[in-house]
Amino acid sequence: MTGSPNWYEIIMTGIAERLDKYRSFKLFLDICVRWGACADKCHFYIGSGDPKNMPVLRAELLRSIYRRDFTTAGKLFGKFAGGRKLTPLIIKEWFYYFYQCTECRRCSVFCPYGIDTAEITIMARELLNLIGCQIDWIITPVANCYQTGNHLGIQPHAFKEILDFLLDDIETNTGVKMEPTFNRKGAEILFLTPSGDVFADPGIYTAMGYMILFHYLDLDYTWSTYASEGGNFGFFTSHEMMKRLNSKMYAEAKRLGVKWILGGECGHMWRVINQYMGTMNEPADFLEVPKSPITGTVFDNASQIKMVHIAQFTADLIKNNKLNLDKSRNDYLKVTWHDSCNTSRGMGFLEEPRYVLKNVVNNFYEMPPNTIREQTFCCGSGSGLNAGENMDIRLRGGLPRANAVKHVHDKHGVNCLGCICAIDRAVLTASMDFWVPGVRVAGLHELVANALVLEGENERTTNLRGEEIADLMEENEE
Amino acid sequence: MNIISSFLLSFLAGIALIVIAWAGALTNLQGLFGVVLPYIAITTFVAGVVYRVLNWAQSPVPFRIPTTCGQEKSFPWIKANCIENPSSTLGVVIRMAFEVLTFRSLFRGTTVELRGGPKLDYRSTKWLWMAALGFHYSFLMIFFRHFRFFTEPIPALVHLAENMDSFFEVTVPALYISDGLLMACVTYLLIRRVIIPQVRYISLPADYFPLFLILAIGTTGILMRYILKVDVVSIKELAMGLVTFHPAVPKGIGSLFYIHLFLVCVLIIYFPFSKLVHLGGVFLSPTRNLANNNRQVRHVNPWNYPVKVHTYAEYEDDFREKMIEAGLPVEKELSDEKE
Ligand code: HEM
Ligand code: SF4
Ligand code: SF4
């Protein structure tokens, strides 16, 4: 071991401190009966067959250390009680396996005590951070987000430029010119989305979708370049780092004097917003309870944190007949729906996106019930594992999800995987190309915008990706 | 620890316990084994469980992190799943009740196999769930039936339980369903630990030991009742002595009884310090005992502390020139900065 010479003490005090701060941590280390209900629920175990990827064993990697040094049985019986002494080798083992957990919480659904291995992973990563072990793909985005406003380190002028490119594409494909605003004080709504949406293919089509919808509604909204990141890689680092990055959302809303915040499609962003944001920050009294300016609907399930998910916002518009939608424009697609882990198991956001989806496409097929909704499988690349260098693990972890897609692909000819997560959009594309070629990945609002009939639009012969719709339809007939 | 040493170690521990008790009974230490130890066991159990629960409760729950297993509360026109994703305390209580009484999460279980292809094949594991329920309910039933030794007169409910439990009167004395069920389920759980590679890999001595212990308790109990009949009247005298705090050791109770009692005492003492405390832990689990209402009700973290942030002012200082050039609004002009 290089680095901190007192790494052992740092980890041990780190464990002690977290035991006192988090009941979840203490309890989950104590009460597991090692019955293994969780064992084959983890996509990494299913995809790799590596026994240390069974959630119960992943937790045991840390639990065994805890047991030896923090419990009576362990102090008395040592390894007979399942205790292990922390060694540099174990640190390496931690590094290997706690970065093979995407904190997806699927195991927690099946555990009779709700033991959430993600919670253990979060703590283990905090501990590893204390001695300087972290992966570049997490720590660089965190630094960027802190300093520049978003994970990709896009500077303010470039951020605007990128969106201008997207606006040009929108104009080419729809014939409509739009002019969103940035950092505008006094707007009614602040819109925040993960930067993956403005940067990476196919997320950009979803970003176009948002702007088209807002233009259609003539919504009084603004983007922010300072808080230009909805996602939060700090969450994959430590609770403290999550808070440091998250604080920008409310700070910017306050500075701009908006009434409420609208959030884009993202998974872990919404886990943080739903489960942590209200607690981490001072009460957002400077905002109003969100109310749709179009339908007048008050979003009272967001009465305290004052931030609304765009799929909920859109579902309300459709329910109130505010959108002129031509579903048939998406007829070349046979769509299935991927529930993102975070919005499913950290929020329960299941029906809102489905309602929107069913109103913008004609062909929708669900995957098998044990692979969707609260039992959904992770894309395999969450919690900061979405780098190309992790491709091997990603494809293994992506197997269960891909396999379920393959099932509906073979059975119904599904050729599009819809989702509401920016990481999903980027990584599932790779997973599909490998496991189920011929299936594209699309964000919900890409599909919405393709179906949305705009005032003054052109023939709409192409979709937002610039593909000829007639060709796609024909291809599909064959 | 590999399977053989784990398994043997806990098995030998079990045997050693039996030998100790037997030796005790033979050397006339009935007072120790019949009176002192039971009192020690109960005291340890109560103190131990209270300590564990208080110890858990001492650590705060800084964040509200329920695992949501159904549709959240949304629009009135979207049906929320108010039990699997509770937004109220009532929902949480019902969710917990399902979890504790029916092992709801275990009920979801599936097992997966990789078939050629690669194709994943899932199968339900309802029988596993049934074995778990069977084990716990028969244990509860047996525990409850034992009150006939500790009460005088015996409450009607205990009689009722006995009658229900011996519904099939196939032997004399009537065979209790729970006895057979307990032994079958525990044996199954044990075999499962040995046979299924995944479960074998995660098993520690601490996993085999309680199963052996319960198996041994069950066996001695069954032997006493059906085969080597013991003097139930004297045993009741002993038990009543214990609960009325006038302990006395009647003569003529067989050593088998002392083995049974000793093993039970060991189980009770072992309970608070082992995985068996899952009994108390279930109720405190933050992923199951909280409502998913974070966006409506503020959850307070008692140790929340201020963190260093990158403010907008600092950000604008970093990028002011570029922002102005790109036509983005700024708070301070370049000229202000110079001052
Ligand atoms: C509120 C009461 C309880 C609940 C909700 C509960 C729940 C569970 C569940 C869900 C399991 C996993 C499935 C299984 O292995 O059967 C389990 C395991 C176990 N429980 Fe309980 N339990 C309770 C009380 C007890 C009590 C009082 C005992 C008595 C000693 C006990 C002994 C065990 C044992 C030995 C196992 C492990 C079985 C194995 O290793 O295969 N439980 N419990
Ligand atoms: S949280 Fe997800 S990735 Fe982590 S152990 Fe559980 S199932 Fe596996
Ligand atoms: S399901 Fe829960 S109690 Fe069972 S082995 Fe997994 S984490 Fe432990």
Side-chain angles (χ1 to χ4, degrees):
Chain A
M1 277 308 273
T2 55
S4 346
N6 57 341
W7 61 274
Y8 186 88
E9 288 70 40
I10 294 177
I11 296 271
M12 286 302 166
T13 12
I15 295 179
E17 193 187 314
R18 278 157 189 80
L19 288 170
D20 285 341
K21 279 170 124 179
Y22 299 90
R23 187 180 303 165
S24 53
F25 188 46
K26 199 190 257 182
L27 196 74
F28 294 166
L29 289 180
D30 276 334
I31 62 173
C32 173
V33 297
R34 284 177 305 283
W35 152 269
C38 55
D40 53 3
K41 305 303 179 288
C42 176
H43 50 286
F44 281 119
Y45 174 67
I46 298 175
S48 72
D50 182 341
K52 290 185 184 170
N53 270 332
M54 293 191 279
V56 44
L57 223 95
R58 196 187 307 289
E60 286 286 317
L61 299 178
L62 176 54
R63 195 178 278 132
S64 54
I65 307 301
Y66 162 77
R67 220 182 259 128
R68 179 180 175 276
D69 290 271
F70 295 88
T71 69
T72 324
K75 281 179 193 152
L76 289 177
F77 301 112
K79 97 174 175 177
F80 296 111
R84 292 196 302 175
K85 185 173 160 50
L86 184 63
T87 61
L89 216 59
I90 289 179
I91 297 287
K92 290 182 188 171
E93 189 185 44
W94 281 8
F95 190 73
Y96 191 59
Y97 288 103
F98 288 119
Y99 285 92
Q100 265 185 89
C101 167
T102 44
E103 303 178 2
C104 78
R105 311 181 102 203
R106 189 168 193 267
C107 44
S108 160
V109 170
F110 295 89
C111 175
Y113 320 115
I115 293 178
D116 183 5
T117 308
E119 197 69 6
I120 309 276
T121 297
I122 291 171
M123 299 303 165
R125 288 190 182 186
E126 282 200 7
L127 294 171
L128 286 170
N129 257 302
L130 295 177
I131 53 169
C133 299
Q134 179 54 282
I135 60 175
D136 177 60
W137 191 260
I138 292 179
I139 213 66
T140 303
V142 165
N144 284 340
C145 188
Y146 186 76
Q147 210 61 35
T148 323
N150 54 68
H151 292 154
L152 298 160
I154 307 169
Q155 301 191 351
H157 57 293
F159 191 82
K160 179 167 182 297
E161 243 164 57
I162 292 173
L163 286 185
D164 282 341
F165 281 128
L166 301 189
L167 293 166
D168 288 346
D169 280 359
I170 293 175
E171 196 178 345
T172 317
N173 291 314
T174 68
V176 182
K177 194 170 163 56
M178 342 193 136
E179 279 173 353
T181 57
F182 296 85
N183 303 351
R184 176 164 61 89
K185 287 195 174 176
E188 182 179 354
I189 296 167
L190 169 64
F191 178 67
L192 295 174
T193 200
S195 60
D197 278 350
V198 303
F199 186 75
D201 196 318
I204 48 172
Y205 308 115
T206 305
M208 292 181 194
Y210 303 142
M211 292 194 284
I212 293 172
L213 175 70
F214 300 156
H215 173 84
Y216 176 97
L217 300 171
D218 198 15
L219 200 68
D220 179 14
Y221 82 107
T222 180
W223 291 86
S224 161
T225 60
Y226 166 64
S228 46
E229 183 59 65
N232 192 329
F233 272 38
F235 184 44
F236 311 141
T237 312
S238 67
H239 285 88
E240 178 171 323
M241 191 52 83
M242 161 169 64
K243 183 176 171 182
R244 290 175 69 181
L245 301 186
N246 175 266
S247 65
K248 289 187 188 186
M249 291 193 172
Y250 279 151
E252 185 69 341
K254 193 171 187 176
R255 183 182 77 87
L256 297 178
V258 299
K259 288 188 177 151
W260 55 280
I261 310 174
L262 185 61
E265 300 177 10
C266 181
H268 74 275
M269 157 178 170
W270 276 95
R271 167 108 193 262
V272 173
I273 291 168
N274 184 45
Q275 300 202 320
Y276 297 94
M277 185 158 90
T279 301
M280 289 188 298
N281 296 284
E282 292 305 309
D285 296 333
F286 47 89
L287 296 173
E288 293 173 15
V289 175
K291 180 174 160 190
S292 170
I294 317 297
T295 65
T297 301
V298 176
F299 298 95
D300 43 19
N301 68 347
S303 57
Q304 196 267 128
I305 67 155
K306 283 123 179 164
M307 181 154 180
V308 174
H309 194 296
I310 188 163
Q312 194 185 359
F313 177 74
T314 307
D316 171 62
L317 295 169
I318 296 176
K319 183 75 182 172
N320 287 291
N321 276 321
K322 297 294 179 192
L323 301 185
N324 183 2
L325 295 162
D326 178 2
K327 286 185 183 194
S328 69
R329 288 184 189 169
N330 282 322
D331 273 354
Y332 58 92
L333 295 175
K334 290 189 173 159
V335 187
T336 191
W337 185 251
H338 167 71
D339 291 283
S340 147
C341 315
N342 284 292
T343 47
S344 308
R345 290 183 282 262
M347 192 171 174
F349 200 70
L350 308 170
E351 289 301 337
E352 294 90 338
R354 279 182 174 72
Y355 179 79
V356 174
L357 185 68
K358 287 176 193 159
N359 278 286
V360 298
V361 301
N362 277 316
N363 315 314
F364 169 54
Y365 305 91
E366 288 277 19
M367 285 180 273
N370 65 318
T371 67
I372 54 169
R373 304 174 76 92
E374 74 276 5
Q375 297 196 23
T376 189
F377 274 110
C378 178
C379 57
S381 314
S383 77
L385 305 185
N386 47 326
E389 67 200 26
N390 298 331
M391 193 54 88
D392 175 61
I393 316 175
R394 285 174 47 190
L395 292 176
R396 287 170 202 269
L399 173 69
R401 166 43 73 233
N403 214 253
V405 177
K406 183 145 181 6
H407 180 77
V408 283
H409 175 70
D410 293 345
K411 196 165 162 195
H412 306 290
V414 160
N415 59 8
C416 175
L417 178 58
C419 63
I420 40 166
C421 171
I423 291 181
D424 282 343
R425 282 190 276 279
V427 302
L428 280 174
T429 305
S431 169
M432 289 304 116
D433 286 349
F434 185 80
W435 291 112
V436 204
V439 175
R440 68 168 66 194
V441 181
L444 186 62
H445 280 80
E446 175 186 349
L447 302 174
V448 170
N450 273 328
L452 195 61
V453 180
L454 301 171
E455 208 172 298
E457 67 178 12
N458 60 16
E459 305 286 290
R460 298 291 289 265
T461 54
T462 51
N463 62 20
L464 290 180
R465 301 189 183 195
E467 300 161 329
E468 287 291 335
I469 294 177
D471 292 353
L472 291 167
M473 296 272 186
E474 211 168 284
E475 233 170 77
N476 213 29
E477 304 271 280
E478 284 161 15
Chain B
M1 300 271 302
N2 67 20
I3 154 81
I4 306 203
S5 43
S6 295
F7 190 87
L8 277 184
L9 190 75
S10 12
F11 184 71
L12 290 178
I15 300 284
L17 291 174
I18 295 176
V19 172
I20 293 174
W22 202 358
L26 291 181
T27 49
N28 284 327
L29 286 174
Q30 281 92 343
L32 177 63
F33 283 81
V35 177
V36 181
L37 205 60
Y39 280 134
I40 293 181
I42 293 293
T43 318
T44 316
F45 176 83
V46 173
V49 171
V50 169
Y51 168 77
R52 289 308 290 265
V53 171
L54 289 183
N55 182 261
W56 287 325
Q58 236 170 35
S59 298
V61 180
F63 300 105
R64 191 186 279 273
I65 50 163
T67 307
T68 57
C69 298
Q71 172 61 37
E72 66 165 2
K73 180 168 170 272
S74 180
F75 298 117
W77 49 272
I78 289 181
K79 196 174 169 305
N81 188 336
C82 36
I83 296 172
E84 304 284 358
N85 188 349
S87 54
S88 67
T89 311
L90 180 66
V92 171
V93 171
I94 299 175
R95 185 182 198 192
M96 188 60 86
F98 270 110
E99 200 63 80
V100 172
L101 300 176
T102 71
F103 296 2
R104 171 72 184 93
S105 297
L106 220 51
F107 184 73
R108 290 194 184 95
T110 50
T111 168
V112 62
E113 244 177 74
L114 193 60
R115 292 284 161 87
K119 192 161 160 37
L120 296 171
D121 202 21
Y122 301 88
R123 255 167 306 151
S124 155
T125 52
K126 295 281 181 288
W127 34 274
L128 267 176
W129 166 78
M130 275 160 52
L133 264 192
F135 166 59
H136 283 85
Y137 273 101
S138 51
F139 195 97
L140 181 67
M141 186 59 143
I142 295 172
F143 173 73
F144 189 65
R145 279 198 284 97
H146 276 70
F147 277 92
R148 78 186 159 112
F149 297 115
F150 299 100
T151 48
E152 191 58 54
I154 301 171
L157 218 56
V158 176
H159 275 307
L160 183 71
E162 286 181 341
N163 289 338
M164 273 169 46
D165 204 0
S166 55
F167 183 71
F168 307 107
E169 297 198 16
V170 282
T171 56
V172 180
L175 180 72
Y176 286 128
I177 303 168
S178 55
D179 289 358
L181 195 60
L182 180 81
M183 296 306 282
C185 290
V186 177
T187 311
Y188 169 73
L189 294 181
L190 191 61
I191 292 177
R192 171 179 178 272
R193 282 215 180 266
V194 178
I195 290 191
I196 303 176
Q198 287 91 335
V199 192
R200 185 166 66 217
Y201 192 78
I202 59 180
S203 295
L204 297 171
D207 298 310
Y208 295 111
F209 180 65
L211 292 177
F212 280 130
L213 199 56
I214 293 170
L215 211 52
I217 293 173
T219 311
T220 47
I222 287 170
L223 280 178
M224 278 193 293
R225 180 174 166 83
Y226 303 100
I227 302 167
L228 309 166
K229 309 230 162 69
V230 288
D231 181 357
V232 179
V233 178
S234 311
I235 292 176
K236 175 139 188 179
E237 215 180 303
L238 175 78
M240 289 307 294
L242 287 173
V243 288
T244 52
F245 297 103
H246 291 101
V249 183
K251 289 222 161 36
I253 303 180
S255 35
L256 189 57
F257 169 74
Y258 286 103
I259 299 179
H260 184 70
L261 182 63
F262 179 68
L263 295 176
V264 172
C265 290
V266 171
L267 183 70
I268 294 175
I269 294 174
Y270 180 69
F271 194 97
F273 309 104
S274 64
K275 70 171 190 178
L276 297 179
V277 279
H278 63 286
L279 161 68
V282 190
F283 299 96
L284 286 161
S285 182
T287 59
R288 290 289 187 273
N289 72 4
L290 291 169
N292 177 33
N293 58 359
N294 304 35
R295 277 177 293 149
Q296 299 111 60
V297 184
R298 191 174 140 83
H299 179 87
V300 177
N301 173 0
W303 50 259
N304 198 11
Y305 56 93
V307 294
K308 189 171 175 326
V309 296
H310 193 62
T311 63
Y312 176 80
E314 289 165 328
Y315 168 86
E316 196 184 293
D317 285 345
D318 290 345
F319 298 110
R320 185 166 295 109
E321 210 173 326
K322 289 171 174 165
M323 289 173 79
I324 292 173
E325 216 166 282
L328 293 167
V330 287
E331 302 244 321
K332 275 199 211 163
E333 291 304 325
L334 277 176
S335 47
D336 298 347
E337 203 181 14
K338 301 261 161 50
E339 284 165 21

